[in-house]
């Protein structure tokens, strides 16, 4: 199995009717042996297995779980294969969480993702992104994970700046960049609630400086559009309110770590 694939093993005998409800929600296209799901030119492919009919898939479970799990009678499995672009793994995890939401919570369900080195049971709803290809259990966040998130944000924001300064725009892939930066801003949101040492705070300050620099040079104002559906989020998550930053109604004071909206200060 490719390290980029995500696999869900379930004790529940997941019916096709329940699976199809999620496939329909994601606009899946039936491709005979699998389903294809596309969003902003990112793809995932989903395969469904009844384990009693597939020795290879059942044996793969034994290789993955080894001595970690005992006395579990698994019945079905889903393999989710993301395409290689930066948004596909975000789409894949979103699909997994939707599947998890319809499952019988009294029965075991496991998720495995080789790229992240993750094998978890009943923690799917707690998975968040460390970078565009890897995720982590948010209950086990530490400085190493935070460093990974910051590194990802730096790399992607610098890439966006280079795309405008060196290539003159978004390469005609605006929809894909919209999804990417929405996901990146959600990762930035995750950092708000963490207890950070001085070094990590300084690194996040640099991330925020990159956001403002990208906003300043982006004539298409793509970053403003990214926040269109999140204007109801708190104003101290100022990256969702770049329309106000651009107009001057919202001032961001990065080093002092606060933003001011009209006459009201908001701690970050």
């Amino acid at each position: 199995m490719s390290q980029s694939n995500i696999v869900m093993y379930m004790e529940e005998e997941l019916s096709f009717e329940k699976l199809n409800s999620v496939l329909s929600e994601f606009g899946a296209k039936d491709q005979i042996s699998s389903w294809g799901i596309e969003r902003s030119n990112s793809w995932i492919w989903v395969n469904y297995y009844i384990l009693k009919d597939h020795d290879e898939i059942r044996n793969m479970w034994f290789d993955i779980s080894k001595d970690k799990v005992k006395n579990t009678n698994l019945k079905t499995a889903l393999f989710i294969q993301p395409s290689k672009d930066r948004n596909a793994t975000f789409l894949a995890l979103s699909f997994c969480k939707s599947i998890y939401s319809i499952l019988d919570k009294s029965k075991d369900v496991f998720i495995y993702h080789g790229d992240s080195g993750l094998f978890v049971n009943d923690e799917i709803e707690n998975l968040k992104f460390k970078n565009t290809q890897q995720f982590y259990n948010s209950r086990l966040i530490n400085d190493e994970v935070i460093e990974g998130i910051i590194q990802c944000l730096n790399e992607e924001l610098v890439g966006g700046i280079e795309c405008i300064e060196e290539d003159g725009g978004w390469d005609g892939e605006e929809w894909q960049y919209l999804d990417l930066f929405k996901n990146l801003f959600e990762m930035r949101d995750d950092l708000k609630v963490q207890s950070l040492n001085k070094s990590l705070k300084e690194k996040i300050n640099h991330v925020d400086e990159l956001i403002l620099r990208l906003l300043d040079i982006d004539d298409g104002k793509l970053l403003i559009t990214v926040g269109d559906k999140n204007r109801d989020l708190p104003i101290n998550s100022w990256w969702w309110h770049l329309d106000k930053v651009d107009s001057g109604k919202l001032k961001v004071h990065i080093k002092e770590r606060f933003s001011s909206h009209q006459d009201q200060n908001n701690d970050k």
Side-chain angles (χ1 to χ4, degrees):
M1 185 182 76
S2 168
Q3 289 291 93
S4 64
N5 288 357
I6 302 171
V7 58
M8 294 180 69
Y9 281 97
M10 291 154 283
E11 184 182 6
E12 178 177 342
E13 191 169 340
L14 177 64
S15 68
F16 178 72
E17 288 74 20
K18 289 181 75 171
L19 172 61
N20 191 54
S21 68
V22 178
L23 291 169
S24 299
E25 173 191 339
F26 279 78
K29 299 174 176 64
D30 193 342
Q31 299 181 334
I32 302 177
S33 62
S34 65
W35 294 269
I37 297 173
E38 184 269 342
R39 182 179 295 166
S40 301
N41 294 327
S42 298
W43 282 86
I44 61 172
W45 292 271
V46 179
N47 289 273
Y48 168 71
Y49 299 98
I50 299 174
L51 293 184
K52 67 180 182 180
D53 299 330
H54 293 276
D55 291 344
E56 180 182 357
I57 306 303
R58 189 171 61 251
N59 291 336
M60 191 176 295
W61 160 256
F62 295 128
D63 289 340
I64 291 171
S65 62
K66 295 182 180 178
D67 297 327
K68 301 173 184 175
V69 181
K70 296 180 181 179
N71 302 322
T72 295
N73 183 23
L74 299 177
K75 295 183 175 65
T76 50
L78 290 175
F79 273 53
I80 300 96
Q81 177 187 353
S83 56
K84 293 183 178 180
D85 59 278
R86 293 173 295 184
N87 277 320
T89 307
F90 288 101
L91 177 58
L93 184 57
S94 176
F95 178 81
C96 290
K97 288 188 174 186
S98 291
I99 291 291
Y100 183 68
S101 71
I102 66 170
L103 295 178
D104 182 348
K105 300 303 187 295
S106 69
K107 297 182 178 180
D108 282 331
V109 54
F110 299 86
I111 189 169
Y112 173 80
H113 184 226
D115 267 357
S116 300
L118 269 183
F119 175 77
V120 294
N121 177 23
D122 298 333
E123 292 289 342
I124 295 172
E125 59 193 2
N126 298 313
L127 298 183
K128 293 180 177 289
F129 276 88
K130 179 180 177 181
N131 55 45
T132 57
Q133 297 299 320
Q134 297 175 312
F135 40 85
Y136 68 96
N137 183 345
S138 61
R139 294 183 177 181
L140 303 176
I141 193 167
N142 54 33
D143 284 356
E144 181 181 355
V145 170
I146 293 172
E147 289 270 13
I149 296 171
I150 293 171
Q151 180 180 351
C152 172
L153 293 173
N154 266 293
E155 290 174 354
E156 297 297 340
L157 289 164
V158 167
I161 290 168
E162 291 176 348
C163 188
I164 292 175
E165 291 184 338
E166 298 178 12
D167 300 329
W170 296 107
D171 303 330
E173 297 289 342
E174 282 79 3
W175 285 109
Q176 193 170 82
Y177 281 106
L178 275 174
D179 268 6
L180 174 63
F181 281 102
K182 178 178 180 293
N183 292 323
L184 294 176
F185 286 178
E186 288 175 353
M187 292 167 68
R188 176 64 182 90
D189 260 349
D190 292 338
L191 295 176
K192 278 182 55 180
V193 298
Q194 302 305 321
S195 177
L196 304 172
N197 60 42
K198 181 179 179 181
S199 175
L200 290 175
K201 287 180 180 179
E202 289 175 352
K203 291 177 181 179
I204 291 178
N205 286 350
H206 181 63
V207 167
D208 291 345
E209 288 170 354
L210 290 174
I211 293 173
L212 294 178
R213 179 181 170 193
L214 182 53
L215 173 68
D216 185 55
I217 65 174
D218 177 19
D219 292 337
K221 302 305 180 188
L222 184 74
L223 292 192
I224 292 177
T225 305
V226 169
D228 281 351
K229 296 181 180 180
N230 292 284
R231 303 293 188 222
D232 58 337
L233 294 178
I235 200 71
N236 56 7
S237 291
W238 53 264
W239 38 90
W240 298 119
H241 303 279
L242 293 177
D243 56 328
K244 293 182 175 63
V245 176
D246 188 59
S247 68
K249 294 180 180 178
L250 179 63
K251 301 293 184 182
V252 180
H253 309 272
I254 292 176
K255 291 183 179 180
E256 294 81 5
R257 300 191 62 77
F258 77 94
S259 56
S260 56
H261 183 227
Q262 296 177 347
D263 296 327
Q264 182 178 3
N265 287 347
N266 302 277
D267 292 338
K268 289 172 62 179

